[in-house]
Amino acid sequence: MSADDGQNRGQYRHIEWTLSAVPTMDLRHLGKCLTCGERSTDSAVADDAQLWCLKHAGRTQHRSYELSAFQYFNAMITDPAAGGTASK
C-alpha cells in the first residue's frame, strides 16, 4: 500500500494505565522444588508453602527450593481522554 492510494492509516497514541491490587485476593505463597519442578498449591499462608517444601524434601531428598509470594492485580485505563478515570 502506498502513501497516496487514498487509504487512511491508523494513528496510535499512548494511553495511561494503572495497576491496583484485587481487594478480595490476599497475597499468595508458592513453594517450588528446583530439582524436579514440582510445586505446592498456592496458599494465603507462607508457612503452608514452607511446610510443603520440607515434606517434599523428606520424601525425595531434594534440597533446593524457591518460595515465591505474589499478588493478583487489575489493569485499568486512567487516561481521561480515553474514557478512564482521572489519574491520582
Side-chain angles (χ1 to χ4, degrees), residues 6-82:
Q7 299 226 353
N8 293 329
R9 299 210 181 244
Q11 293 185 352
Y12 298 95
R13 70 176 199 84
H14 176 77
I15 296 177
E16 291 183 29
W17 289 75
T18 189
L19 293 176
S20 60
V22 176
T24 57
M25 296 295 293
D26 293 331
L27 188 66
R28 307 298 292 176
H29 304 273
L30 180 73
K32 177 183 175 185
C33 176
L34 297 177
T35 303
C36 71
E38 191 173 336
R39 298 170 186 245
S40 69
T41 56
D42 66 271
S43 171
V45 181
D47 288 347
D48 292 347
Q50 291 176 1
L51 183 59
W52 177 89
C53 292
L54 292 171
K55 287 180 178 181
H56 185 77
R59 284 192 313 273
T60 63
Q61 302 300 307
H62 295 167
R63 297 175 184 230
S64 299
Y65 293 87
E66 174 183 19
L67 183 64
S68 302
F70 62 95
Q71 190 166 13
Y72 293 100
F73 290 89
N74 288 322
M76 298 183 310
I77 295 174
T78 56
D79 191 335

